[in-house]
Amino acid sequence: MKRKGVLKKLLGALCVGILLCMPVTAKAAEQEEIVGRWTGGGWATFIFYDNGTAFHDYGQYSNTRAYTIESGSLTVTDGTGSQVTLSYDLWRGEKKPGTEGADEYNDAVLFQVIEPGKKMKAWNVVKRANESEWKYGAGEATITKVNKADSGSKDSGGSDSDSVSPAWKCEHNYAWIITTEPTETENGEISYMCVSCGDVEERQPISADVVIRRKLLESIKNAEAGATVTFDNGSWLCYPKYVLDALKEKGDVSLKTDFAYEGKHYSFTIPAGSDYANLEEAEFYGFLYLFGVFDGVIVE
């Protein structure tokens, strides 16, 4: 029951929108060649799962992270200061190599397919805070896919029906992990997943409203004094109270809202510095209600 409470906090305070379960976006045809156990080299042992995550079997540093099937290239600096360009077919890590971010420590593993479903080359790359260049981490390794018959048995924790049979019995340490990030138009997914082996006990959707809400609040917060922020999203028909609280706190920004209801188009603007004392006390404010309070107009 404890984990249900954690999930409720993660998914709470959404305005509208049906929560739908969205699939992982990895390409199925390529994924079939990737899913399974791969090993070779002291650090390069991985288990790729069909849920879009991969377990890195590396002693005390073992972890499960998302992977993405996507070809590209990345220039890294080796131990001598020389730059080398690596071509990859998929990457695994907290962030895609090359993306901006202020993380204290970004690391990823790049994989290049040598023989589909049989052999890949792997590179570990890292970038610390305030560094502009990616560098070699653990280094380079060639890994091969382990046949199911060689990867485990019922006695060692696997089963005949397992798509991947680890050679150990995992004690399972579950945590809620976002396995598919939501977008403004598509829901995401959060999974109650073992951080050691990637086993999923439960899945729940994450509404796209999470992204919409974040971008709207950021637009209000970052707008210049006297500016008007425009919101036009077909999935919302009300504002949570925290949107009005953000406007009140900012004080010098207006919010223009365009929406449609039963075939008609409406528009209203909440002026900067508005007095909200006359509004009814509520957790959500419908657009039609705000349309009347702030003298909105019907758009022809």
Side-chain angles (χ1 to χ4, degrees), residues 59-86:
Q60 63 176 318
Y61 302 108
S62 297
N63 55 61
T64 299
R65 295 182 179 176
Y67 68 87
T68 298
I69 300 174
E70 179 181 305
S71 296
S73 62
L74 178 71
T75 299
V76 301
T77 302
D78 63 19
T80 66
S82 301
Q83 291 189 326
V84 180
T85 299
L86 307 176

PDB file of all heavy atoms in Angstrom, residues 59-86:
ATOM      1  N   GLY A  59      28.823  -5.722 -10.712  1.00  0.00           N
ATOM      2  CA  GLY A  59      29.126  -5.757  -9.287  1.00  0.00           C
ATOM      3  C   GLY A  59      28.348  -4.724  -8.500  1.00  0.00           C
ATOM      4  O   GLY A  59      27.143  -4.565  -8.657  1.00  0.00           O
ATOM      5  N   GLN A  60      29.028  -3.958  -7.639  1.00  0.00           N
ATOM      6  CA  GLN A  60      28.376  -2.972  -6.791  1.00  0.00           C
ATOM      7  C   GLN A  60      27.842  -1.791  -7.595  1.00  0.00           C
ATOM      8  O   GLN A  60      27.042  -1.005  -7.084  1.00  0.00           O
ATOM      9  CB  GLN A  60      29.352  -2.468  -5.734  1.00  0.00           C
ATOM     10  CG  GLN A  60      30.577  -1.743  -6.285  1.00  0.00           C
ATOM     11  CD  GLN A  60      31.452  -1.184  -5.186  1.00  0.00           C
ATOM     12  OE1 GLN A  60      30.965  -0.633  -4.206  1.00  0.00           O
ATOM     13  NE2 GLN A  60      32.770  -1.362  -5.324  1.00  0.00           N
ATOM     14  N   TYR A  61      28.249  -1.658  -8.849  1.00  0.00           N
ATOM     15  CA  TYR A  61      27.787  -0.559  -9.679  1.00  0.00           C
ATOM     16  C   TYR A  61      26.638  -0.980 -10.605  1.00  0.00           C
ATOM     17  O   TYR A  61      26.254  -0.244 -11.510  1.00  0.00           O
ATOM     18  CB  TYR A  61      28.936  -0.001 -10.519  1.00  0.00           C
ATOM     19  CG  TYR A  61      30.101   0.488  -9.692  1.00  0.00           C
ATOM     20  CD1 TYR A  61      31.289  -0.228  -9.660  1.00  0.00           C
ATOM     21  CD2 TYR A  61      30.002   1.647  -8.936  1.00  0.00           C
ATOM     22  CE1 TYR A  61      32.366   0.200  -8.880  1.00  0.00           C
ATOM     23  CE2 TYR A  61      31.071   2.090  -8.156  1.00  0.00           C
ATOM     24  CZ  TYR A  61      32.255   1.364  -8.134  1.00  0.00           C
ATOM     25  OH  TYR A  61      33.292   1.798  -7.366  1.00  0.00           O
ATOM     26  N   SER A  62      26.080  -2.168 -10.408  1.00  0.00           N
ATOM     27  CA  SER A  62      25.004  -2.665 -11.271  1.00  0.00           C
ATOM     28  C   SER A  62      23.784  -1.750 -11.189  1.00  0.00           C
ATOM     29  O   SER A  62      23.477  -1.199 -10.128  1.00  0.00           O
ATOM     30  CB  SER A  62      24.607  -4.089 -10.855  1.00  0.00           C
ATOM     31  OG  SER A  62      25.693  -4.976 -11.031  1.00  0.00           O
ATOM     32  N   ASN A  63      23.100  -1.589 -12.317  1.00  0.00           N
ATOM     33  CA  ASN A  63      21.900  -0.750 -12.343  1.00  0.00           C
ATOM     34  C   ASN A  63      21.070  -1.078 -13.569  1.00  0.00           C
ATOM     35  O   ASN A  63      21.524  -1.763 -14.491  1.00  0.00           O
ATOM     36  CB  ASN A  63      22.266   0.740 -12.335  1.00  0.00           C
ATOM     37  CG  ASN A  63      23.211   1.104 -13.468  1.00  0.00           C
ATOM     38  OD1 ASN A  63      22.887   0.947 -14.634  1.00  0.00           O
ATOM     39  ND2 ASN A  63      24.402   1.594 -13.128  1.00  0.00           N
ATOM     40  N   THR A  64      19.842  -0.610 -13.569  1.00  0.00           N
ATOM     41  CA  THR A  64      18.935  -0.774 -14.703  1.00  0.00           C
ATOM     42  C   THR A  64      18.590   0.605 -15.251  1.00  0.00           C
ATOM     43  O   THR A  64      18.159   1.483 -14.497  1.00  0.00           O
ATOM     44  CB  THR A  64      17.647  -1.501 -14.283  1.00  0.00           C
ATOM     45  OG1 THR A  64      17.987  -2.797 -13.787  1.00  0.00           O
ATOM     46  CG2 THR A  64      16.695  -1.650 -15.461  1.00  0.00           C
ATOM     47  N   ARG A  65      18.770   0.788 -16.543  1.00  0.00           N
ATOM     48  CA  ARG A  65      18.466   2.073 -17.178  1.00  0.00           C
ATOM     49  C   ARG A  65      17.783   1.844 -18.524  1.00  0.00           C
ATOM     50  O   ARG A  65      17.843   0.750 -19.086  1.00  0.00           O
ATOM     51  CB  ARG A  65      19.744   2.897 -17.392  1.00  0.00           C
ATOM     52  CG  ARG A  65      20.420   3.321 -16.095  1.00  0.00           C
ATOM     53  CD  ARG A  65      21.650   4.159 -16.372  1.00  0.00           C
ATOM     54  NE  ARG A  65      22.294   4.601 -15.150  1.00  0.00           N
ATOM     55  CZ  ARG A  65      23.428   5.292 -15.103  1.00  0.00           C
ATOM     56  NH1 ARG A  65      24.045   5.609 -16.238  1.00  0.00           N
ATOM     57  NH2 ARG A  65      23.951   5.656 -13.960  1.00  0.00           N
ATOM     58  N   ALA A  66      17.173   2.887 -19.028  1.00  0.00           N
ATOM     59  CA  ALA A  66      16.487   2.792 -20.315  1.00  0.00           C
ATOM     60  C   ALA A  66      17.496   2.749 -21.459  1.00  0.00           C
ATOM     61  O   ALA A  66      18.605   3.289 -21.363  1.00  0.00           O
ATOM     62  CB  ALA A  66      15.557   3.994 -20.494  1.00  0.00           C
ATOM     63  N   TYR A  67      17.112   2.110 -22.554  1.00  0.00           N
ATOM     64  CA  TYR A  67      17.921   2.153 -23.769  1.00  0.00           C
ATOM     65  C   TYR A  67      17.041   2.595 -24.930  1.00  0.00           C
ATOM     66  O   TYR A  67      15.826   2.438 -24.901  1.00  0.00           O
ATOM     67  CB  TYR A  67      18.574   0.808 -24.067  1.00  0.00           C
ATOM     68  CG  TYR A  67      17.624  -0.316 -24.455  1.00  0.00           C
ATOM     69  CD1 TYR A  67      17.235  -0.513 -25.779  1.00  0.00           C
ATOM     70  CD2 TYR A  67      17.137  -1.201 -23.497  1.00  0.00           C
ATOM     71  CE1 TYR A  67      16.380  -1.543 -26.137  1.00  0.00           C
ATOM     72  CE2 TYR A  67      16.283  -2.237 -23.847  1.00  0.00           C
ATOM     73  CZ  TYR A  67      15.906  -2.406 -25.167  1.00  0.00           C
ATOM     74  OH  TYR A  67      15.054  -3.422 -25.520  1.00  0.00           O
ATOM     75  N   THR A  68      17.654   3.171 -25.948  1.00  0.00           N
ATOM     76  CA  THR A  68      16.937   3.647 -27.125  1.00  0.00           C
ATOM     77  C   THR A  68      17.652   3.162 -28.379  1.00  0.00           C
ATOM     78  O   THR A  68      18.872   3.291 -28.490  1.00  0.00           O
ATOM     79  CB  THR A  68      16.861   5.184 -27.163  1.00  0.00           C
ATOM     80  OG1 THR A  68      16.140   5.639 -26.023  1.00  0.00           O
ATOM     81  CG2 THR A  68      16.152   5.659 -28.420  1.00  0.00           C
ATOM     82  N   ILE A  69      16.892   2.600 -29.293  1.00  0.00           N
ATOM     83  CA  ILE A  69      17.450   2.136 -30.565  1.00  0.00           C
ATOM     84  C   ILE A  69      17.415   3.291 -31.552  1.00  0.00           C
ATOM     85  O   ILE A  69      16.348   3.677 -32.021  1.00  0.00           O
ATOM     86  CB  ILE A  69      16.661   0.929 -31.090  1.00  0.00           C
ATOM     87  CG1 ILE A  69      16.715  -0.218 -30.078  1.00  0.00           C
ATOM     88  CG2 ILE A  69      17.196   0.466 -32.435  1.00  0.00           C
ATOM     89  CD1 ILE A  69      15.865  -1.410 -30.431  1.00  0.00           C
ATOM     90  N   GLU A  70      18.576   3.846 -31.829  1.00  0.00           N
ATOM     91  CA  GLU A  70      18.665   5.009 -32.715  1.00  0.00           C
ATOM     92  C   GLU A  70      20.112   5.190 -33.138  1.00  0.00           C
ATOM     93  O   GLU A  70      21.002   5.289 -32.302  1.00  0.00           O
ATOM     94  CB  GLU A  70      18.160   6.263 -31.992  1.00  0.00           C
ATOM     95  CG  GLU A  70      18.244   7.526 -32.832  1.00  0.00           C
ATOM     96  CD  GLU A  70      17.756   8.742 -32.063  1.00  0.00           C
ATOM     97  OE1 GLU A  70      16.610   8.696 -31.568  1.00  0.00           O
ATOM     98  OE2 GLU A  70      18.518   9.706 -31.924  1.00  0.00           O
ATOM     99  N   SER A  71      20.358   5.226 -34.429  1.00  0.00           N
ATOM    100  CA  SER A  71      21.726   5.368 -34.924  1.00  0.00           C
ATOM    101  C   SER A  71      22.189   6.814 -34.806  1.00  0.00           C
ATOM    102  O   SER A  71      21.401   7.751 -34.886  1.00  0.00           O
ATOM    103  CB  SER A  71      21.807   4.926 -36.387  1.00  0.00           C
ATOM    104  OG  SER A  71      21.499   3.555 -36.510  1.00  0.00           O
ATOM    105  N   GLY A  72      23.491   6.982 -34.598  1.00  0.00           N
ATOM    106  CA  GLY A  72      24.060   8.322 -34.509  1.00  0.00           C
ATOM    107  C   GLY A  72      25.557   8.242 -34.325  1.00  0.00           C
ATOM    108  O   GLY A  72      26.173   7.184 -34.494  1.00  0.00           O
ATOM    109  N   SER A  73      26.162   9.360 -33.969  1.00  0.00           N
ATOM    110  CA  SER A  73      27.601   9.395 -33.728  1.00  0.00           C
ATOM    111  C   SER A  73      27.892  10.371 -32.600  1.00  0.00           C
ATOM    112  O   SER A  73      27.124  11.302 -32.350  1.00  0.00           O
ATOM    113  CB  SER A  73      28.366   9.799 -34.995  1.00  0.00           C
ATOM    114  OG  SER A  73      27.993  11.103 -35.411  1.00  0.00           O
ATOM    115  N   LEU A  74      28.997  10.146 -31.917  1.00  0.00           N
ATOM    116  CA  LEU A  74      29.402  10.986 -30.798  1.00  0.00           C
ATOM    117  C   LEU A  74      30.917  11.101 -30.792  1.00  0.00           C
ATOM    118  O   LEU A  74      31.621  10.103 -30.923  1.00  0.00           O
ATOM    119  CB  LEU A  74      28.924  10.374 -29.478  1.00  0.00           C
ATOM    120  CG  LEU A  74      29.315  11.134 -28.206  1.00  0.00           C
ATOM    121  CD1 LEU A  74      28.532  12.435 -28.105  1.00  0.00           C
ATOM    122  CD2 LEU A  74      29.064  10.282 -26.970  1.00  0.00           C
ATOM    123  N   THR A  75      31.420  12.328 -30.667  1.00  0.00           N
ATOM    124  CA  THR A  75      32.857  12.560 -30.594  1.00  0.00           C
ATOM    125  C   THR A  75      33.276  12.590 -29.133  1.00  0.00           C
ATOM    126  O   THR A  75      32.723  13.343 -28.330  1.00  0.00           O
ATOM    127  CB  THR A  75      33.242  13.878 -31.275  1.00  0.00           C
ATOM    128  OG1 THR A  75      32.871  13.813 -32.664  1.00  0.00           O
ATOM    129  CG2 THR A  75      34.736  14.130 -31.179  1.00  0.00           C
ATOM    130  N   VAL A  76      34.259  11.747 -28.776  1.00  0.00           N
ATOM    131  CA  VAL A  76      34.729  11.653 -27.393  1.00  0.00           C
ATOM    132  C   VAL A  76      36.234  11.887 -27.349  1.00  0.00           C
ATOM    133  O   VAL A  76      36.930  11.766 -28.359  1.00  0.00           O
ATOM    134  CB  VAL A  76      34.396  10.273 -26.778  1.00  0.00           C
ATOM    135  CG1 VAL A  76      32.901  10.028 -26.804  1.00  0.00           C
ATOM    136  CG2 VAL A  76      35.137   9.160 -27.516  1.00  0.00           C
ATOM    137  N   THR A  77      36.719  12.221 -26.155  1.00  0.00           N
ATOM    138  CA  THR A  77      38.145  12.428 -25.944  1.00  0.00           C
ATOM    139  C   THR A  77      38.725  11.214 -25.232  1.00  0.00           C
ATOM    140  O   THR A  77      38.182  10.770 -24.215  1.00  0.00           O
ATOM    141  CB  THR A  77      38.387  13.688 -25.098  1.00  0.00           C
ATOM    142  OG1 THR A  77      37.803  14.819 -25.752  1.00  0.00           O
ATOM    143  CG2 THR A  77      39.882  13.932 -24.913  1.00  0.00           C
ATOM    144  N   ASP A  78      39.816  10.661 -25.771  1.00  0.00           N
ATOM    145  CA  ASP A  78      40.412   9.490 -25.135  1.00  0.00           C
ATOM    146  C   ASP A  78      41.438   9.911 -24.078  1.00  0.00           C
ATOM    147  O   ASP A  78      41.599  11.105 -23.785  1.00  0.00           O
ATOM    148  CB  ASP A  78      41.032   8.554 -26.173  1.00  0.00           C
ATOM    149  CG  ASP A  78      42.179   9.191 -26.940  1.00  0.00           C
ATOM    150  OD1 ASP A  78      42.742  10.204 -26.462  1.00  0.00           O
ATOM    151  OD2 ASP A  78      42.533   8.678 -28.028  1.00  0.00           O
ATOM    152  N   GLY A  79      42.130   8.946 -23.505  1.00  0.00           N
ATOM    153  CA  GLY A  79      43.064   9.216 -22.421  1.00  0.00           C
ATOM    154  C   GLY A  79      44.250  10.075 -22.819  1.00  0.00           C
ATOM    155  O   GLY A  79      44.895  10.678 -21.957  1.00  0.00           O
ATOM    156  N   THR A  80      44.565  10.148 -24.103  1.00  0.00           N
ATOM    157  CA  THR A  80      45.702  10.953 -24.568  1.00  0.00           C
ATOM    158  C   THR A  80      45.289  12.358 -24.976  1.00  0.00           C
ATOM    159  O   THR A  80      46.123  13.151 -25.387  1.00  0.00           O
ATOM    160  CB  THR A  80      46.371  10.260 -25.769  1.00  0.00           C
ATOM    161  OG1 THR A  80      45.459  10.247 -26.888  1.00  0.00           O
ATOM    162  CG2 THR A  80      46.762   8.833 -25.424  1.00  0.00           C
ATOM    163  N   GLY A  81      43.988  12.656 -24.899  1.00  0.00           N
ATOM    164  CA  GLY A  81      43.496  13.971 -25.307  1.00  0.00           C
ATOM    165  C   GLY A  81      43.054  14.031 -26.755  1.00  0.00           C
ATOM    166  O   GLY A  81      42.584  15.077 -27.216  1.00  0.00           O
ATOM    167  N   SER A  82      43.199  12.926 -27.465  1.00  0.00           N
ATOM    168  CA  SER A  82      42.768  12.881 -28.866  1.00  0.00           C
ATOM    169  C   SER A  82      41.264  12.668 -28.951  1.00  0.00           C
ATOM    170  O   SER A  82      40.654  12.054 -28.066  1.00  0.00           O
ATOM    171  CB  SER A  82      43.493  11.760 -29.609  1.00  0.00           C
ATOM    172  OG  SER A  82      44.892  11.946 -29.565  1.00  0.00           O
ATOM    173  N   GLN A  83      40.669  13.164 -30.022  1.00  0.00           N
ATOM    174  CA  GLN A  83      39.233  13.017 -30.212  1.00  0.00           C
ATOM    175  C   GLN A  83      38.937  11.873 -31.176  1.00  0.00           C
ATOM    176  O   GLN A  83      39.605  11.721 -32.203  1.00  0.00           O
ATOM    177  CB  GLN A  83      38.613  14.314 -30.728  1.00  0.00           C
ATOM    178  CG  GLN A  83      38.615  15.430 -29.688  1.00  0.00           C
ATOM    179  CD  GLN A  83      37.802  16.624 -30.132  1.00  0.00           C
ATOM    180  OE1 GLN A  83      37.755  16.948 -31.312  1.00  0.00           O
ATOM    181  NE2 GLN A  83      37.170  17.290 -29.183  1.00  0.00           N
ATOM    182  N   VAL A  84      37.948  11.074 -30.826  1.00  0.00           N
ATOM    183  CA  VAL A  84      37.544   9.928 -31.628  1.00  0.00           C
ATOM    184  C   VAL A  84      36.041   9.999 -31.817  1.00  0.00           C
ATOM    185  O   VAL A  84      35.291  10.288 -30.879  1.00  0.00           O
ATOM    186  CB  VAL A  84      37.915   8.597 -30.929  1.00  0.00           C
ATOM    187  CG1 VAL A  84      37.477   7.416 -31.779  1.00  0.00           C
ATOM    188  CG2 VAL A  84      39.408   8.548 -30.648  1.00  0.00           C
ATOM    189  N   THR A  85      35.576   9.761 -33.028  1.00  0.00           N
ATOM    190  CA  THR A  85      34.142   9.757 -33.308  1.00  0.00           C
ATOM    191  C   THR A  85      33.623   8.325 -33.302  1.00  0.00           C
ATOM    192  O   THR A  85      34.126   7.470 -34.046  1.00  0.00           O
ATOM    193  CB  THR A  85      33.828  10.415 -34.661  1.00  0.00           C
ATOM    194  OG1 THR A  85      34.262  11.786 -34.623  1.00  0.00           O
ATOM    195  CG2 THR A  85      32.326  10.382 -34.942  1.00  0.00           C
ATOM    196  N   LEU A  86      32.647   8.069 -32.458  1.00  0.00           N
ATOM    197  CA  LEU A  86      32.060   6.731 -32.323  1.00  0.00           C
ATOM    198  C   LEU A  86      30.705   6.697 -33.012  1.00  0.00           C
ATOM    199  O   LEU A  86      29.872   7.573 -32.800  1.00  0.00           O
ATOM    200  CB  LEU A  86      31.880   6.377 -30.842  1.00  0.00           C
ATOM    201  CG  LEU A  86      33.120   6.509 -29.942  1.00  0.00           C
ATOM    202  CD1 LEU A  86      32.734   6.220 -28.494  1.00  0.00           C
ATOM    203  CD2 LEU A  86      34.214   5.576 -30.414  1.00  0.00           C
TER     204      LEU A  86
END
